[in-house]
């Protein structure tokens, strides 16, 4: 439960989903945190507000989405809150969470199996293999790209049985904007100038925890550790913790409760009362 005697303590948690997913992927975490007394928001990316089944029928509604409009969309919901919340993001939601922190938002944050921000050049073989279905065809830049059940099992849920992975794919998986995978997974580090996932790593901001999964194929621990080390010059607290035996499906695979509880306990322990909405924004 939140400490009701501390009026400055965060009472709201914002959960930011990743690519190939919708807010439905946070169902377990939302219910668990709400049972502890928090208000929990699970904002959808623009166009993702409809259900998984509808997005599968018409993936074109998300094909032309951009990162800036997504960050603006989520930031507006955070800025409307009476006090800074805890922000947690999974996968590309971790990238978005870092961009939100860079705007001076949030009392503290946790990114789980995060996709990197610009400048993180670590590309393990398993990550390249996971993203190949989207990168193998340049035409995918202009359309939404989905994983097959087999591709989903390798990239997302490799610690599950194929049967359990297929069940997860059936309930949660959608297509993702192919442009994002090309722009931020391949091109950003080679294109001159600052791109849309650039952050000032030396800047002060709210405390940030990186959680990595030992068996994650698409965003392996090496990517998350490299991302965390980029913040070495920031005066703000940055920590990394790794959970053994966990895949990219870490937020829903057996034992997810341990990860959720660790994330919440860390975020509450380090929530900064000095971070005021917009105070450190550029």
């Amino acid at each position: 439960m939140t400490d009701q005697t501390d009026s400055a303590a965060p009472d709201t948690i914002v959960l930011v989903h990743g690519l190939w997913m919708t807010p439905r992927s946070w169902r377990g975490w939302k219910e668990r945190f709400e049972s502890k007394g928090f208000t929990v928001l699970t904002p959808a990316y623009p166009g993702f507000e409809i259900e998984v089944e509808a997005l599968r029928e018409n993936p074109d509604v998300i094909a032309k989405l951009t990162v800036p409009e997504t960050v603006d969309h989520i930031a507006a919901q955070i800025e409307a809150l009476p006090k800074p919340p805890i922000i947690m993001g999974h996968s590309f939601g971790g990238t978005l969470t870092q961009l939100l922190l860079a705007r001076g938002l949030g009392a503290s944050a946790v990114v789980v199996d995060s996709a990197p921000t610009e400048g993180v050049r670590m590309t393990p073989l398993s990550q390249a293999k996971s993203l190949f279905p989207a990168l193998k065809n340049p035409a995918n830049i202009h359309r939404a790209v989905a994983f097959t059940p087999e591709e989903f099992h390798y990239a997302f849920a490799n610690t599950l049985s194929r049967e359990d992975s297929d069940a997860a794919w059936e309930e949660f998986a959608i297509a993702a904007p192919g442009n994002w995978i090309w722009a931020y997974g391949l091109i950003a580090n080679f294109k001159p100038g600052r791109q849309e996932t650039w952050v000032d790593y030396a800047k002060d901001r709210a405390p940030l925890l990186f959680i990595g999964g030992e068996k994650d194929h698409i965003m392996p621990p090496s990517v998350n550790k490299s991302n965390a080390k980029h913040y070495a010059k920031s005066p703000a607290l940055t920590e990394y913790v790794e959970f053994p035996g966990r895949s990219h499906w870490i937020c829903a695979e057996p034992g997810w409760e341990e990860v959720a509880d660790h994330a919440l306990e860390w975020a509450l322990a380090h929530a900064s009362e000095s971070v005021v909405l917009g105070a450190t924004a550029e």
Side-chain angles (χ1 to χ4, degrees):
M1 298 287 290
T2 52
D3 181 359
Q4 302 300 329
T5 65
D6 183 356
S7 60
D11 58 7
T12 301
I13 301 170
V14 178
L15 302 175
V16 185
H17 66 85
L19 291 181
W20 291 287
M21 290 287 137
T22 71
R24 183 187 290 184
S25 63
W26 285 118
R27 184 166 55 203
W29 288 48
K30 178 175 170 57
E31 292 176 355
R32 190 169 185 84
F33 293 158
E34 286 177 339
S35 74
K36 296 177 184 292
F38 293 91
T39 297
V40 182
L41 307 180
T42 56
Y45 301 178
F48 284 59
E49 295 87 356
I50 57 178
E51 279 295 346
V52 168
E53 294 75 12
L55 285 168
R56 283 180 176 171
E57 291 181 3
N58 183 22
D60 289 343
V61 300
I62 58 177
K64 296 182 179 179
L65 184 64
T66 69
V67 165
E69 68 180 311
T70 305
V71 176
D72 288 345
H73 178 75
I74 299 172
Q77 296 177 60
I78 293 174
E79 289 165 346
L81 296 172
K83 56 185 177 181
I86 292 168
I87 307 173
M88 298 184 184
H90 174 247
S91 196
F92 204 91
T95 301
L96 298 175
T97 296
Q98 293 180 64
L99 295 173
L100 292 165
L101 288 191
R103 292 190 179 197
L105 300 176
S108 60
V110 179
V111 292
V112 185
D113 289 348
S114 181
T117 41
E118 185 182 342
V120 179
R121 297 179 181 275
M122 188 67 64
T123 308
L125 180 60
S126 70
Q127 184 181 54
K129 181 178 178 179
S130 297
L131 296 176
F132 183 71
L135 297 176
K136 65 182 178 183
N137 186 350
N140 287 338
I141 293 175
H142 305 293
R143 56 195 180 199
V145 182
F147 283 132
T148 65
E150 181 179 6
E151 292 164 349
F152 179 84
H153 185 223
Y154 180 81
F156 264 73
N158 48 296
T159 59
L160 302 184
S161 68
R162 179 59 191 273
E163 180 182 10
D164 289 344
S165 176
D166 286 0
W169 179 91
E170 186 64 39
E171 184 172 5
F172 297 101
I174 61 168
N179 179 51
W180 289 30
I181 297 132
W182 276 83
Y184 314 118
L186 184 65
I187 297 173
N189 285 332
F190 302 100
K191 192 173 181 179
R194 296 172 180 174
Q195 308 304 309
E196 293 168 345
T197 57
W198 179 87
V199 299
D200 183 352
Y201 290 110
K203 187 178 177 180
D204 198 7
R205 46 142 179 82
L208 172 62
L209 173 66
F210 283 80
I211 291 180
E214 180 200 13
K215 301 296 185 182
D216 187 345
H217 279 169
I218 193 168
M219 296 298 163
S222 59
V223 174
N224 278 266
K225 285 188 279 191
S226 177
N227 198 156
K229 287 179 180 177
H230 274 66
Y231 287 106
K233 293 183 179 179
S234 171
L237 176 65
T238 306
E239 292 186 356
Y240 171 83
V241 65
E242 188 172 314
F243 281 76
R246 308 304 174 91
S247 70
H248 201 62
W249 200 236
I250 188 171
C251 295
E253 69 186 333
W256 64 266
E257 297 90 343
E258 179 187 10
V259 182
D261 289 349
H262 184 93
L264 180 57
E265 290 168 8
W266 190 96
L268 286 172
H270 297 288
S272 171
E273 297 179 8
S274 63
V275 177
V276 179
L277 288 172
T280 57
E282 289 183 340

